[in-house]
Amino acid sequence: LGYGIPLNDNTRLNTGLEFSKNEIKCSSLFKGAGYESSQCSTIDNDEFKATVNWNKNTLNAYLYPTEGVSNTVLAGISLPLADYRYFNFGVNHSSYKSINKNTTLKLTGNLNLAKGFSDKDLPFYKRYFGGGSGSVRGFGNKTLGPLYPNGKAKGGEISILGSANLITPAFFFDNNEKMRMSAFIDAGNI
């Protein structure tokens, strides 16, 4: 259940309430090795979560922007009406600036935090993972951050990511308005 309120032409406040019924089945290897013994001990884990986010977007296009800024601040908390007790908070920024007719500079930054409270752990599937196209390109999917003893990604409670991109049309194709290429530098960790 959600409700959004436009504050002006570029700014919006969104709220939400969500109930989810989670059935977690951990393999004996995962549960027996003590990786997530506290969370694997109970199969049914219901969640009732309240969220709010604020977004300001001045981008000049939805798919291929060349100017403008998008900023988002989001917060959520699982309410004590169900099994989980955790909160999350995040700040996300993207900005685009035309350098010349064919080149755009894109800068992004993301800071996310999630943590359990009232002697409860953050659900392991709500942790942040890094590496791959969604975060730090050039690293394998889920290769950044803490690992379990078997080398698999454990995820973390804090995610810090940033990138700088130079974007140009794919000049070697005809009708290249919808084909772009970029050079980038990504940084971050979990």
Side-chain angles (χ1 to χ4, degrees), residues 104-108 137 163-167 182-186:
T104 301
L105 173 65
K106 176 187 177 187
L107 301 173
T108 66
R137 296 165 283 194
S163 72
N165 305 265
L166 284 176
I167 303 168
S182 71
F184 61 86
I185 297 173
D186 289 347

Side-chain angles (χ1 to χ4, degrees), residues 83-164:
D83 299 314
Y84 288 139
R85 306 281 186 282
Y86 75 94
F87 69 89
N88 65 301
F89 177 78
V91 178
N92 302 307
H93 168 81
S94 295
S95 61
Y96 294 80
K97 177 74 176 157
S98 290
I99 294 176
N100 61 38
K101 181 181 175 191
N102 293 318
T103 307
T104 301
L105 173 65
K106 176 187 177 187
L107 301 173
T108 66
N110 304 301
L111 170 65
N112 294 291
L113 167 71
K115 186 103 176 117
F117 63 88
S118 292
D119 296 326
K120 297 273 189 173
D121 292 326
L122 177 68
F124 60 85
Y125 57 89
K126 299 284 186 178
R127 293 183 188 137
Y128 300 107
F129 295 89
S133 63
S135 63
V136 181
R137 296 165 283 194
F139 286 82
N141 192 30
K142 297 184 179 181
T143 57
L144 295 176
L147 302 173
Y148 289 113
N150 66 358
K152 300 289 184 188
K154 181 177 182 177
E157 295 179 342
I158 298 174
S159 170
I160 302 171
L161 306 169
S163 72

Side-chain angles (χ1 to χ4, degrees), residues 40-51:
C40 289
S41 61
T42 307
I43 292 176
D44 292 320
N45 293 283
D46 297 340
E47 178 180 2
F48 192 63
K49 186 173 181 183
T51 59

Side-chain angles (χ1 to χ4, degrees), residues 64-86:
Y64 303 107
T66 56
E67 287 285 339
V69 174
S70 175
N71 289 314
T72 303
V73 178
L74 52 99
I77 188 165
S78 62
L79 302 173
L81 304 171
D83 299 314
Y84 288 139
R85 306 281 186 282
Y86 75 94

